[in-house]
Amino acid sequence: MNNIDVLNTDKLLRDIKQCSLCSEALPLPPRPILQASEQSKILIAGQAPGAVTHEKYRPFDDKSGERLRQWLAIDEATFYSQDHIALMPMGFCYPGKGKSGDLPPIKACAQTWRKPLLSTLKHIELTILLGQYAINWHLAQPEYSNLKLKFSNITELVKQYERLLDANLIALPHPSPRNNIWLKKNPWFDEDVLPLLKYRVTSILNTA
């Protein structure tokens, strides 16, 4: 691990998928779930796999994934192509269930693996942030310090989509059906944000 910062993407992915660092804190045996390659163009940063994803061993293979792919205007084959899309949640293993949903991702996961792996992804042209843990971690990185974003909730941040896109970022509400009410209350998201997002994604992937 001393030379982790100089490892290539494939070696890091192999090491991550064998990781058992948090095994004592997990409700199920470690099963790191992610995808990436040195050629990945778009990074999707979420929270952590849920119980269903843990069993299927495939992220976003559900209604949330269907909606997310609609938002991006891409099909399953493109979504699950690691040369197109990197899927990197803040925690790679299912953290367990809490009182009001899944527990937060275990911090040691991002502390150990995230920066080394991101440093090997040289071709990322857009980072998509889903959820507070991905938002808080990524916006705290030095390369985004000049944005000086002010927001108290996800809605306020999503509304700054043009400013974020200028920095090759975008924050989205989670595509879960549980957010149907939010989407109905905020029609501007469908009318203003999604067309720009689809255009950016199409432009990136058409030049891949």
Side-chain angles (χ1 to χ4, degrees), residues 41-44 68-75 78-79 84-85 125-128 165 170 172 193-208:
K41 303 294 184 183
I42 296 171
L43 168 65
I44 299 176
L68 180 57
R69 288 186 284 276
Q70 289 173 357
W71 286 356
L72 303 179
I74 59 177
D75 57 21
T78 302
F79 187 81
H84 289 116
I85 309 292
E125 298 182 40
L126 177 66
T127 296
I128 298 171
L165 282 171
I170 193 164
L172 302 178
V193 181
L194 291 186
L196 282 181
L197 175 61
K198 291 174 182 179
Y199 177 80
R200 178 67 67 89
V201 169
T202 299
S203 298
I204 292 170
L205 297 182
N206 281 348
T207 60

Side-chain angles (χ1 to χ4, degrees), residues 88-117:
M88 287 177 52
M90 295 307 299
F92 297 141
C93 293
Y94 170 57
K97 186 70 70 177
K99 291 182 179 179
S100 59
D102 289 349
L103 292 169
I106 295 175
K107 292 181 179 179
C109 186
Q111 291 169 349
T112 304
W113 298 114
R114 198 161 193 85
K115 284 187 177 180
L117 184 52

Side-chain angles (χ1 to χ4, degrees), residues 5-6 11 16 18 29 34 75 84 90-91 117 125-126 132 170 185:
D5 57 327
V6 299
K11 178 64 167 62
I16 290 169
Q18 295 173 9
L34 71 161
D75 57 21
H84 289 116
M90 295 307 299
L117 184 52
E125 298 182 40
L126 177 66
Q132 63 172 323
I170 193 164
K185 288 182 177 179

Side-chain angles (χ1 to χ4, degrees), residues 22-176:
C22 305
S23 58
E24 293 185 1
L26 296 172
L28 300 171
R31 200 177 193 190
I33 299 173
L34 71 161
Q35 74 175 39
S37 85
E38 291 181 2
Q39 304 306 317
S40 298
K41 303 294 184 183
I42 296 171
L43 168 65
I44 299 176
Q47 180 165 309
V52 174
T53 296
H54 177 90
E55 291 300 323
K56 289 185 174 182
Y57 201 58
R58 195 183 195 211
F60 290 106
D61 187 12
D62 54 15
K63 293 296 183 182
S64 295
E66 290 178 12
R67 173 174 277 166
L68 180 57
R69 288 186 284 276
Q70 289 173 357
W71 286 356
L72 303 179
I74 59 177
D75 57 21
E76 275 196 29
T78 302
F79 187 81
Y80 290 112
S81 167
Q82 62 187 14
D83 287 344
H84 289 116
I85 309 292
L87 298 172
M88 287 177 52
M90 295 307 299
F92 297 141
C93 293
Y94 170 57
K97 186 70 70 177
K99 291 182 179 179
S100 59
D102 289 349
L103 292 169
I106 295 175
K107 292 181 179 179
C109 186
Q111 291 169 349
T112 304
W113 298 114
R114 198 161 193 85
K115 284 187 177 180
L117 184 52
L118 285 174
S119 73
T120 73
L121 305 183
K122 305 295 188 182
H123 302 287
I124 297 296
E125 298 182 40
L126 177 66
T127 296
I128 298 171
L129 306 177
L130 298 175
Q132 63 172 323
Y133 299 102
I135 287 168
N136 292 343
W137 190 92
H138 282 267
L139 293 184
Q141 300 310 301
E143 59 265 36
Y144 302 123
S145 60
N146 63 324
L147 290 176
K148 298 180 180 179
L149 297 163
K150 294 182 179 180
F151 59 95
S152 59
N153 54 54
I154 183 67
T155 303
E156 291 179 3
L157 180 60
V158 174
K159 284 184 175 180
Q160 300 179 65
Y161 60 94
E162 291 179 305
R163 192 174 176 190
L164 289 167
L165 282 171
D166 285 342
N168 299 320
L169 281 172
I170 193 164
L172 302 178
H174 198 280
S176 167

